[in-house]
Amino acid sequence: MAHSTVFSTLSSPRGTPHVIVIGAGVGGLVAALMLACRGLRVTVLERSQVPGGKLRQACVEGSAIDCGPTVFTMREIFEEIFAEAGTTLAEHLTLKPATVLARHAWGAGEHLDLHADIETSVAAISAFAGPAEGRAYRAFCAQARHVYRTLDQPFIRAARPSMLNLMRAVGPTSNLFALAPFSTLWRTLGGHFRDPRLRQLFARYATYCGSSPFACPATLMLVAHVEQAGVWLVEGGMHRLAVALATLAQKRGVTFRYGVGARTIRVEAGKVAAVELDDGARLTADAVVSNADIAALAAGAFGTQVRGAVKAPKPRERSLSAVTFALKATSRGFPLARHNVFFSEAYKAEFEDIFRHRRLPRNPTVYVCAQDRDETGASRAGREAERLFCIVNAPPTGDTHSFDASEIAQCEARTFQTLERCGLTLDWRREHCTTTTPADFNRLYPATGGALYGAASHGPLASFRRPGVRSRVPGLYVCGGSTHPGPGLPMAALSGRMAALSLIEDWASMRRSQPTAMLGGISTA
């Protein structure tokens, strides 16, 4: 197995190399696990008391509610990672496939389910909007599948993709244009669907990477294929993924230090040398993997010596933030599924509010994850209040404009008005609700303004501007949702794996070419 065969080529005269991973988000956890499985000594520093990063939970009335990513997709990536660690995903997590991907609503009685089975969705769309729209959906799925399969190896799984390399991999220019990189998602969807509700439904995939469908490239339609390939429910909640990765990493020898943050990354002789902690302690390091948002690194959160290691997005280039509500409530009127979307009546105005006017949307779209619903949508809470997590998109201005109590109260009122317009009434108590705002997210993830997805994917070249895992400082690597290949659990996991493998590759290259010198930031002397 991988963790027992690699390190024999990596031994150092002065002992096992020490890598410090800053942050126990999914990217950092995967990087730590991959490095430990290849024989390196790994220490993970996490300011929180638990692993997970954005994969976090809130305790409401004694119940844990997932308050980060709620959709588990691209299972094969995690299967590969656990296999490389000498085990299987099934040994650590219990997953159930969702039969209903999401339930969508535009008003009372206007409901449409997307299903895991494409033909079942075709039938549902045909009944909802007519047979022509059902056929259009089938064609849309085929195009989304083509886009995903074309971009998977040369872009998504490439450590540092470029437009030139992508063009070489794709082939003739006509093949590149077939991916619609120079058209917006909203415009391309208009060529598929006549019904504006369907255009709005599939445009929502832009928000999966914190972007506006009116500005992001149509290539983001690949999200449709990702969901069709499988949406899974994690028994015990999404946070179990972080716990499983941390537990496995510990078994493979990773040391975790919770409740302590990294204050400064020290550079000596042109390479990473140590990390100084908030408590004043100093840990020597042969390399560092930063799982913090790149904005924090670029803002000097880890010292001035590594401030120029990566280039962070400008405030206007940031992705969406959010206002979220984690609560327990009893529901009436609307048959909640596990994943539910209640659409705005003014979709374009919603994104203009956020990205142009930098204000909370006056007519928000609301996502509701009903965490006590099973894969069929049946409630396991019975007559008891069920756990709900509600998300409204918001501007990433948490570091420049902290919305006051009245603005947040108005956002809350508009959120629940949207639900009621679509037929859902919730009975809940405000004191039993945890609200998180862009300013709160900025405190959790410093220097981001509360942006949850790094840079927005606006324009055909935006995705190529995300930094790769190798930074400009030798020995410093980066991973997480603000780096390539982008936000979301599978992408963050891929970035962690890429960071680990790039570090290993640099080390091996150094050993071959300069056995007593330094290359890639790791010293053998």
Side-chain angles (χ1 to χ4, degrees), residues 71-76 78 95-101 115-118 208 222-233 339 490:
V71 179
F72 188 98
T73 58
M74 301 181 76
R75 175 177 178 165
E76 68 278 5
F78 294 97
L95 303 177
K96 293 183 179 180
T99 53
V100 175
L101 300 180
H115 300 265
D117 177 70
I118 290 179
Y208 283 38
L222 63 82
V223 176
H225 174 69
V226 168
E227 287 200 333
Q228 285 293 347
V231 171
W232 305 84
L233 308 185
H339 304 291

Side-chain angles (χ1 to χ4, degrees), residues 133-190:
E133 296 294 72
R135 292 191 294 272
Y137 172 71
R138 190 183 289 115
F140 170 70
C141 288
Q143 186 178 2
R145 180 172 59 251
H146 170 70
V147 171
Y148 176 81
R149 290 178 175 174
T150 302
L151 295 179
D152 184 29
Q153 292 299 326
F155 181 80
I156 295 174
R157 291 177 181 262
R160 193 66 183 107
S162 68
M163 179 62 81
L164 180 59
N165 288 340
L166 177 62
M167 292 174 66
R168 288 171 177 164
V170 170
T173 303
S174 58
N175 292 347
L176 179 65
F177 277 90
L179 303 178
F182 303 106
S183 174
T184 65
L185 180 60
W186 184 257
R187 186 180 301 116
T188 297
L189 288 171

Side-chain angles (χ1 to χ4, degrees), residues 162-487:
S162 68
M163 179 62 81
L164 180 59
N165 288 340
L166 177 62
M167 292 174 66
R168 288 171 177 164
V170 170
T173 303
S174 58
N175 292 347
L176 179 65
F177 277 90
L179 303 178
F182 303 106
S183 174
T184 65
L185 180 60
W186 184 257
R187 186 180 301 116
T188 297
L189 288 171
H192 280 282
F193 302 104
R194 289 182 175 272
D195 192 308
R197 297 169 299 179
L198 297 178
R199 195 177 182 186
Q200 190 177 21
L201 188 163
F202 298 109
R204 183 177 170 272
Y205 288 140
T207 65
Y208 283 38
C209 63
S211 305
S212 164
F214 302 93
C216 75
T219 48
L220 287 180
M221 71 175 71
L222 63 82
V223 176
H225 174 69
V226 168
E227 287 200 333
Q228 285 293 347
V231 171
W232 305 84
L233 308 185
V234 181
E235 187 70 29
M238 293 290 289
H239 190 255
R240 287 294 310 161
L241 173 62
V243 173
L245 286 168
T247 300
L248 181 57
Q250 247 178 331
K251 289 180 179 178
R252 296 291 182 261
V254 175
T255 299
F256 284 84
R257 297 186 63 172
Y258 293 109
V260 60
R263 183 176 64 194
T264 307
I265 299 173
R266 288 296 179 192
V267 177
E268 296 174 5
K271 65 182 183 66
V272 163
V275 174
E276 294 175 357
L277 311 185
D278 289 339
D279 61 8
R282 175 185 169 101
L283 301 179
T284 58
D286 295 291
V288 170
V289 178
S290 173
N291 187 212
D293 194 287
I294 59 168
L297 195 64
F302 301 107
T304 58
Q305 288 185 305
V306 293
R307 191 169 188 168
V310 291
K311 183 179 179 181
K314 298 175 182 177
R316 281 283 173 179
E317 298 171 338
R318 291 171 175 168
S319 66
L320 291 168
S321 185
V323 176
T324 69
F325 307 94
L327 65 152
K328 293 183 72 174
T330 55
S331 63
R332 293 182 283 112
F334 183 91
L336 286 168
R338 180 62 168 254
H339 304 291
N340 310 268
V341 185
F342 300 86
F343 281 108
S344 164
E345 294 178 295
Y347 206 47
K348 187 173 185 178
E350 177 180 357
F351 289 96
E352 287 180 344
D353 278 345
I354 293 169
F355 284 109
R356 179 180 296 178
H357 303 296
R358 314 305 263 185
R359 64 192 177 199
L360 296 172
R362 295 163 295 174
N363 197 331
T365 294
V366 184
Y367 166 76
V368 178
C369 179
Q371 297 179 19
D372 289 309
R373 303 274 169 164
D374 65 15
E375 66 276 11
T376 67
S379 176
R380 294 173 292 184
R383 295 183 178 180
E384 299 296 323
E386 57 183 312
R387 297 173 299 152
L388 302 177
F389 181 55
C390 309
I391 303 176
V392 170
N393 294 324
T397 57
D399 54 348
T400 57
H401 176 71
S402 181
F403 297 110
D404 61 31
S406 64
E407 290 173 298
I408 298 301
Q410 193 172 46
C411 178
E412 177 190 293
R414 290 168 175 166
T415 297
F416 291 98
Q417 285 168 7
T418 297
L419 301 183
E420 290 177 1
R421 175 174 54 80
C422 294
L424 175 63
T425 300
L426 297 179
D427 297 321
W428 58 287
R429 298 168 62 184
R430 183 165 285 100
E431 62 268 26
H432 293 151
C433 173
T434 297
T435 302
T436 309
T437 70
D440 296 323
F441 285 120
N442 185 63
R443 284 189 286 271
L444 289 168
Y445 317 116
T448 64
L452 298 173
Y453 312 87
S457 296
H458 291 166
L461 299 179
S463 295
F464 294 96
R465 289 195 289 268
R466 285 183 178 270
V469 296
R470 290 179 172 95
S471 83
R472 296 169 183 161
V473 175
L476 176 59
Y477 301 79
V478 293
C479 66
S482 62
T483 68
H484 174 75

